[in-house]
Amino acid sequence: MKKSRITGIGHYVPENVVTNADLEKIMDTTNDWIVERTGIEARRWFNPDKDTVSNMATRATKMAADRAGIEIKDIEFIVFATITPDYFFPGSGVLLQRELGLQGIGALDIRNACSGFIYALSVADQFIKTGMYKTVLVVGAEIQSSALDKSTEGRSSSVIFADGAGAAILQATDEDRGVLSTHLHADGDYAEELYVHDPGSSRKTRLSKDMLDGKTFNLTMNGNTVFKHAVVRFSEVINEALQENGHVTEDIDLLIPHQANLRISNFVQRQFKLPDDKVFNNIMHYGNTTAASIPIAMSEAWEKGKIKEGDLICLAAFGSGFTWASSLIRW
Ligand code: COA
């Protein structure tokens, strides 16, 4: 059976840098509080005149395709992970397809929040293993900043979430490397612990004054519950990936966790006794970009020479749903 390999990885983040000092001006918070609880020093928030989820994804895709040494027209299928699509429907996959000039090829949207990129990678991997496609574009892109309550009331979430895009070109290979396995989990009992309630379909009207007054269109998170579940699930799903492939922690060359919160990443790092140079974090600069965080981190890690041929890379994520997932990749 074929395996799938990531042959190129790229990213794009909006130019607009929002520092903790900028947030201090619009809500009752401090740089110290944000750095101590989340590790975040700055994040990117989109420019509504310039950035959309799909055009950020297009820029990330072009970088990934360049690095893979392929032409855009070689892409046969798109898997687009986002929970912040440009429209309520259709999904952003078709908008990306249109921007890339790939009219006609299939475009699938994935809505698994912070685990979305690994879910998307898994779907693309299955298509390649079965021989249906040879070159698949896997994208994670989000604009979270427009769903944040940027007043003091919403400060525990609005200091964390941010915007950006990452893309990977996944290609079939006969070599014994690439995506070794993916592991996907979910527990809908916790759906409302981290969510955006409106606009939803199961209401009398999609939009109402009550929703605007009640700010139910803003992202809502029970940070303590998310934190407690995240640290357990991250560890479980990394262990699952190692066991499935007969590997031990020491075999990991680089762990790229979803950039949820630096405290969560540090906790997982300590649990696995991984040295600093084996865990990649860039949440300090970009905040939590949901489905985009892993491909942005992977792209930067690759740029910095931290991902080399033959390395064993572990991806792991946890987020809204709850959903959690991991993948082991022999680069
Ligand atoms: N600035 C200053 N103070 C803040 C604040 C902010 N941005 N946000 C919350 N606070 C205050 C609270 O109002 C509270 O004050 P009080 O004690 O006077 O009531 C105090 O800080 C503690 O709030 P709490 O929510 O208990 O803080 P915490 O230590 O749990 O940290 C999170 C909050 C969100 C940082 C933390 O729960 C967390 O990291 N959770 C995981 C979030 C995550 O990773 N989400 C992404 C998953 S994909």
Side-chain angles (χ1 to χ4, degrees), residues 29-89:
T29 191
T30 61
N31 175 58
D32 288 351
W33 192 97
I34 301 171
V35 171
E36 188 193 312
R37 309 285 174 120
T38 71
I40 299 166
E41 293 161 22
R43 74 284 293 139
R44 304 294 178 101
W45 283 356
F46 82 124
N47 173 348
D49 295 326
K50 188 172 165 228
D51 302 308
T52 66
V53 163
S54 48
N55 77 21
M56 293 195 304
T58 301
R59 294 179 187 127
T61 298
K62 288 184 176 161
M63 185 188 279
D66 266 2
R67 289 174 173 177
I70 65 157
E71 298 203 31
I72 294 294
K73 66 173 172 44
D74 298 330
I75 296 168
E76 296 166 293
F77 190 69
I78 295 171
V79 190
F80 196 135
T82 184
I83 49 167
T84 54
D86 299 275
Y87 301 139
F88 195 85
F89 76 85

Side-chain angles (χ1 to χ4, degrees), residues 115-116 118-119 182-185 233-234 237-238 294 315-318 323-327:
S115 308
I118 301 181
Y119 267 75
T182 51
H183 308 271
L184 312 178
H185 298 280
R233 297 307 194 185
F234 262 111
V237 81
I238 292 169
I294 288 182
L315 309 180
F318 176 88
T323 57
W324 60 103
S326 66
S327 177

